[in-house]
Amino acid sequence: MLFKRDLLQSLVIIVFFISYLIAFVSSSSSKPNIILIIADDLGWNDVGFHGSAEIPTPNIDALAYNGLIMNRHYVLPTCTPSRVSLMTGKYPIRVGLQGDPMRSQDRVALPIEEKILPQYLKEQGYKTHLVGKWHLGFYQTRFTPTKRGFDSHFGFYSGTTRYNDSVTYSEPYEGIDAHRDLSPAGAEFYRKYLTDVFTEEAVRIIKNHDRNHPLFLEISHAAVHAIKNNILQVRNVDENNRKFGYIKNEHRRLFAGILDALDESVGKVIEALDSSQLLKNSVVLFISDNGGATVDPLWKYENTASNWPLRGMKTSLYEGGVRGVAALWSPLLIHRNNVTEEIFHISDWLPTFVAAAGGNVENIRGIDGVNQWNFLNGQQRTSNRSEVLININHKKKNAAIINGKWKLMRCHLGHTPSFADEYGGLSERNESEVIFKIEKVIGSTTNNVISKYVSSSLNLSETFLRVRSLATIDKKCSERILAANETRTTPCEGDHLFNVEDDPCEYYIIKNISYSSIANELKSRLDYFESVTVKQENIISDWKADPKFFSGYWKPWLDEEEKFLNCATLFNLSCIAIITILLYKII
Ligand SMILES: *[C@@H]1O[C@H](CO)[C@@H](O)[C@H](O)[C@H]1NC(C)=O
Ligand SMILES: *[C@@H]1O[C@H](CO)[C@@H](O)[C@H](O)[C@H]1NC(C)=O
Ligand SMILES: *[C@@H]1O[C@H](CO)[C@@H](O)[C@H](O)[C@H]1NC(C)=O
Ligand SMILES: *[C@@H]1O[C@H](CO)[C@@H](O)[C@H](O)[C@H]1NC(C)=O
Ligand SMILES: *[C@@H]1O[C@H](CO)[C@@H](O)[C@H](O)[C@H]1NC(C)=O
Ligand SMILES: *[C@@H]1O[C@H](CO)[C@@H](O)[C@H](O)[C@H]1NC(C)=O
Ligand SMILES: *[C@@H]1O[C@H](CO)[C@@H](O)[C@H](O)[C@H]1NC(C)=O
Ligand SMILES: *[C@@H]1O[C@H](CO)[C@@H](O)[C@H](O)[C@H]1NC(C)=O
């Protein structure tokens, strides 16, 4: 009897264990790995897949031509607001962070109450890693990535950093901005090339990844952002001049080198995913955080990005500032070799990735992002989004909203027309200077790896060229292109209506009263969003952040203040110690 009962018990345990194992294996294998690559300040026309031949981007293009190019992927016009939206799934007006990007010494951060993307994905069993830029505040440790859902962070906290040693200048302070989780990591960047350091880290994470868990890897590059004093840093200037000598503008030539290293990085990441058996179950998304900076209107850097032929650049609410480069590839999805004109917003990735991970999106309240997973996996023919709030910025006195093909630009009284809102900068396409070679894309690392998943009967050059032509919008902008040599300024005062489907270059303001009801609907939606906008904070620039107080490092500088606020009682010894340190600092 006793023996039988033991046997029964062990059987029950074994059955239980096996079913647990099956459940575990099936659940982890069904969750896709999510690889998110973000370029910084990359312009519409900097990648080859929108029709440019000037700087070859064969790896990025191979991802795009094999997958789905998202030709209406809206982002915010600058770094911090865009990353707020990506991480929270909300428009940045919901948290008061719709304004200028954070400076390193600013006492500001994404509010701690906001639950962010890696936190959601951790709940779904993901291992979560951030490589590179954060830019969502770090004045206290609790705001840094590893305290907010990332299992690891290797990179920098600020808006950008030097490519040869990860030193960040944020006027008037300068210091090393390099961290491995919470530890200083300057040595890992010293005299190395930033993009390569991030690539090596990403490859290391991929190689070491425990395949019992799904992977969320965000690679957030500094490339192609320029740094202090117009400097664009490449690996080696002489080699760069040899490779891109055909580019006349010196800055643009350096820009090409930065972009080239970024493109190479994409190839290495795809290769590592494949050799680690992760690629077959991965979704790879490549996006830019905002439009290209032809010059940087905020910090006056001469970046020489190009948004040709779109109007506007980084900081602008015209398409050139907010219609970001975006392409998605996955062997799991049906969209291949295609371009979509469906509207996406950067906030959509939070619910979309949570849905991809098997999470219940209905439980996520208060977000603006729309779950697009059913569109991406082919269960739905169209996206569920038609409206996008582009932004509302009371300090800059501008706002914009889109519904379908219609876009309303609102310029409040007193708005100063700015260079950034025009067709300025280095943006012409001169095909006679370079001959585009699709063979480069076909022979790229990315394409060689991805070709395993592609039917061999496909004529790649024909297919890729067809997709490229679909993704190139020049044909809709012929009048603007003819007038490319004119520096037009059409001051924006009041509300202007555009049809961004037929006129993506925003060349014609629609004044025909037949469309006034459309304009009125957009106005009232914009009024509504204005009514729920959280005011932009007055940001405190804090001298106590100066890296000279922290052995030359940018790091959280107000942790003691936080502890002070949490002090339960004055008779608490550690509280007294903290107060003493604080008093000492103030004096
Ligand atoms: C990195 O580049 C800057 C600007 O060119 C230079 O001043 C600095 O010395 C360089 N750092 C190292 C470690 O070489
Ligand atoms: C590309 O997308 C369009 C629009 O969704 C669709 O009609 C077409 O069949 C797709 N083409 C391919 C080759 O998948
Ligand atoms: C999109 O909207 C349709 C129609 O309202 C709805 O049935 C569907 O569930 C929605 N899809 C997603 C992914 O939210
Ligand atoms: C294009 O480049 C060629 C060769 O450098 C030059 O002669 C021509 O003027 C350029 N065209 C434009 C529109 O810049
Ligand atoms: C692929 O298409 C191109 C362009 O249409 C054509 O020139 C080439 O011969 C085709 N290649 C094959 C192998 O059919
Ligand atoms: C722009 O180019 C056109 C055609 O070449 C020419 O007629 C026009 O005068 C030019 N405009 C300016 C402002 O240079
Ligand atoms: C205004 O738009 C209507 C509707 O598209 C069109 O019929 C009409 O000709 C337009 N009027 C002018 C002056 O362009
Ligand atoms: C004393 O204050 C510290 C710092 O805020 C806190 O961590 C600790 O829990 C407090 N101890 C007691 C006994 O209240």
Side-chain angles (χ1 to χ4, degrees):
M1 269 309 271
L2 205 69
F3 174 70
K4 257 190 179 169
R5 211 169 59 206
D6 274 358
L7 192 71
L8 204 66
Q9 255 177 11
S10 342
L11 262 175
V12 166
I13 290 170
I14 288 169
V15 168
F16 184 80
F17 183 70
I18 288 175
S19 53
Y20 173 80
L21 207 71
I22 290 170
F24 181 76
V25 167
S26 60
S27 77
S28 62
S29 64
S30 67
K31 291 178 193 260
N33 303 304
I34 297 168
I35 315 300
L36 169 59
I37 306 173
I38 310 182
D40 198 348
D41 290 2
L42 185 67
W44 180 264
N45 186 48
D46 292 325
V47 291
F49 69 77
H50 283 145
S52 175
E54 193 183 22
I55 305 169
T57 51
N59 287 291
I60 298 168
D61 292 4
L63 200 70
Y65 297 145
N66 280 293
L68 181 69
I69 295 172
M70 309 169 99
N71 247 15
R72 292 191 72 189
H73 181 267
Y74 288 99
V75 293
L76 276 293
T78 55
C79 304
T80 297
S82 235
R83 285 154 205 271
V84 166
S85 211
L86 178 67
M87 284 294 125
T88 61
K90 297 180 180 178
Y91 294 134
I93 58 156
R94 308 278 187 191
V95 294
L97 289 172
Q98 60 273 34
D100 283 349
M102 296 168 179
R103 291 168 308 167
S104 312
Q105 67 272 31
D106 286 342
R107 202 189 292 176
V108 61
L110 177 63
I112 206 75
E113 310 77 63
E114 298 299 328
K115 183 170 170 183
I116 68 173
L117 180 58
Q119 289 170 313
Y120 285 102
L121 291 177
K122 261 183 97 68
E123 286 176 356
Q124 298 301 326
Y126 280 69
K127 293 287 171 202
T128 56
H129 303 277
L130 173 64
V131 176
K133 167 165 159 170
W134 171 239
H135 210 187
L136 289 171
F138 65 97
Y139 69 91
Q140 287 169 340
T141 304
R142 63 195 177 117
F143 295 116
T144 61
T146 53
K147 298 288 180 189
R148 306 196 76 167
F150 283 106
D151 293 328
S152 80
H153 173 228
F154 177 67
F156 61 104
Y157 296 144
S158 305
T160 192
T161 197
R162 223 148 64 182
Y163 288 59
N164 60 334
D165 52 13
S166 205
V167 166
T168 293
Y169 177 73
S170 184
E171 197 180 5
Y173 312 112
E174 188 172 86
I176 304 165
D177 190 356
H179 314 269
R180 184 171 282 287
D181 302 332
L182 297 175
S183 309
E188 297 193 62
F189 292 82
Y190 191 74
R191 297 218 163 138
K192 296 199 183 115
Y193 193 62
L194 192 68
T195 304
D196 297 338
V197 177
F198 291 152
T199 306
E200 277 161 30
E201 173 73 4
V203 167
R204 198 189 58 78
I205 288 171
I206 290 166
K207 299 250 138 108
N208 292 344
H209 179 67
D210 167 9
R211 276 189 280 139
N212 290 318
H213 295 272
L215 169 68
F216 171 56
L217 173 60
E218 177 181 346
I219 310 167
S220 174
H221 285 281
V224 294
H225 205 303
I227 56 161
K228 181 191 169 189
N229 298 337
N230 287 347
I231 293 175
L232 291 154
Q233 286 178 311
V234 295
R235 283 193 200 110
N236 179 308
V237 176
D238 293 333
E239 265 174 37
N240 196 67
N241 283 338
R242 273 195 292 279
K243 190 163 185 179
F244 297 106
Y246 60 88
I247 299 175
K248 305 279 179 306
N249 181 305
E250 190 199 336
H251 281 276
R252 182 72 177 167
R253 198 154 67 231
L254 291 166
F255 181 96
I258 297 181
L259 178 52
D260 190 43
L262 172 67
D263 184 73
E264 203 181 293
S265 170
V266 171
K268 286 187 173 160
V269 166
I270 298 289
E271 199 172 37
L273 285 166
D274 184 55
S275 63
S276 301
Q277 310 292 316
L278 294 170
L279 192 60
K280 59 177 186 291
N281 189 31
S282 290
V283 176
V284 184
L285 175 67
F286 179 90
I287 59 172
S288 181
D289 63 344
N290 46 249
T294 57
V295 297
D296 191 315
L298 276 179
W299 326 114
K300 311 278 180 274
Y301 298 162
E302 193 142 339
N303 295 48
T304 66
S306 170
N307 302 305
W308 171 268
L310 295 174
R311 175 177 187 173
M313 65 169 103
K314 178 180 180 181
T315 73
S316 169
L317 301 186
Y318 287 100
E319 298 286 276
V322 295
R323 191 162 163 155
V325 169
L328 181 95
W329 179 80
S330 171
L332 305 169
L333 298 175
I334 62 145
H335 294 279
R336 306 274 163 88
N337 317 116
N338 216 345
V339 177
T340 180
E341 301 291 331
E342 295 293 319
I343 297 178
F344 279 74
H345 186 254
I346 191 166
S347 63
D348 295 348
W349 294 112
L350 185 140
T352 302
F353 286 155
V354 171
N360 188 349
V361 174
E362 255 95 84
N363 290 347
I364 308 177
R365 303 253 168 242
I367 57 169
D368 300 295
V370 170
N371 171 11
Q372 304 273 23
W373 189 241
N374 282 341
F375 169 73
L376 295 177
N377 69 19
Q379 284 181 29
Q380 228 174 278
R381 287 188 60 82
T382 54
S383 123
N384 266 8
R385 179 188 276 283
S386 62
E387 181 185 82
V388 175
L389 174 71
I390 295 297
N391 201 16
I392 297 172
N393 188 333
H394 287 127
K395 289 196 176 165
K396 286 193 77 175
K397 302 187 170 67
N398 63 13
I401 190 166
I402 284 178
N403 198 322
K405 57 175 137 172
W406 304 108
K407 176 169 177 180
L408 190 87
M409 287 285 299
R410 171 169 290 178
C411 303
H412 297 262
L413 218 60
H415 170 84
T416 342
S418 116
F419 174 66
D421 289 337
E422 291 307 325
Y423 301 101
L426 196 143
S427 47
E428 278 185 66
R429 174 166 296 156
N430 191 340
E431 296 285 318
S432 67
E433 302 213 13
V434 238
I435 297 149
F436 178 72
K437 292 198 187 75
I438 198 71
E439 295 74 28
K440 261 195 173 163
V441 180
I442 294 170
S444 69
T445 308
T446 299
N447 194 59
N448 285 335
V449 171
I450 287 182
S451 61
K452 287 185 194 169
Y453 303 90
V454 175
S455 147
S456 57
S457 63
L458 202 66
N459 181 331
L460 289 183
S461 78
E462 197 178 52
T463 305
F464 288 2
L465 289 171
R466 177 182 57 80
V467 179
R468 185 170 188 255
S469 146
L470 278 174
T472 304
I473 59 171
D474 294 29
K475 46 202 170 294
K476 289 186 172 175
C477 294
S478 47
E479 290 89 346
R480 175 265 187 276
I481 288 169
L482 278 176
N485 57 351
E486 291 167 25
T487 42
R488 238 175 42 140
T489 41
T490 33
C492 179
E493 276 296 348
D495 293 333
H496 289 176
L497 184 67
F498 294 94
N499 177 338
V500 287
E501 200 173 282
D502 298 342
D503 174 30
C505 293
E506 295 162 293
Y507 201 63
Y508 299 106
I509 299 166
I510 296 171
K511 294 179 178 146
N512 187 335
I513 52 162
S514 305
Y515 299 98
S516 56
S517 65
I518 289 165
N520 285 338
E521 263 171 52
L522 288 169
K523 284 179 201 178
S524 69
R525 286 298 291 163
L526 205 44
D527 290 343
Y528 160 73
F529 281 115
E530 295 216 13
S531 76
V532 298
T533 293
V534 173
K535 219 171 142 259
Q536 283 164 255
E537 298 175 51
N538 277 322
I539 290 163
I540 300 164
S541 165
D542 194 347
W543 59 269
K544 294 201 279 322
D546 191 342
K548 77 178 179 198
F549 301 123
F550 305 99
S551 328
Y553 272 85
W554 289 105
K555 66 183 288 284
W557 66 95
L558 287 174
D559 282 340
E560 276 131 13
E561 261 93 333
E562 188 203 345
K563 288 188 197 134
F564 173 67
L565 290 174
N566 292 337
C567 263
T569 148
L570 270 181
F571 303 107
N572 175 334
L573 266 185
S574 59
C575 277
I576 292 171
I578 289 161
I579 291 163
T580 316
I581 295 170
L582 274 180
L583 284 175
Y584 176 78
K585 270 198 178 176
I586 291 163
I587 298 159

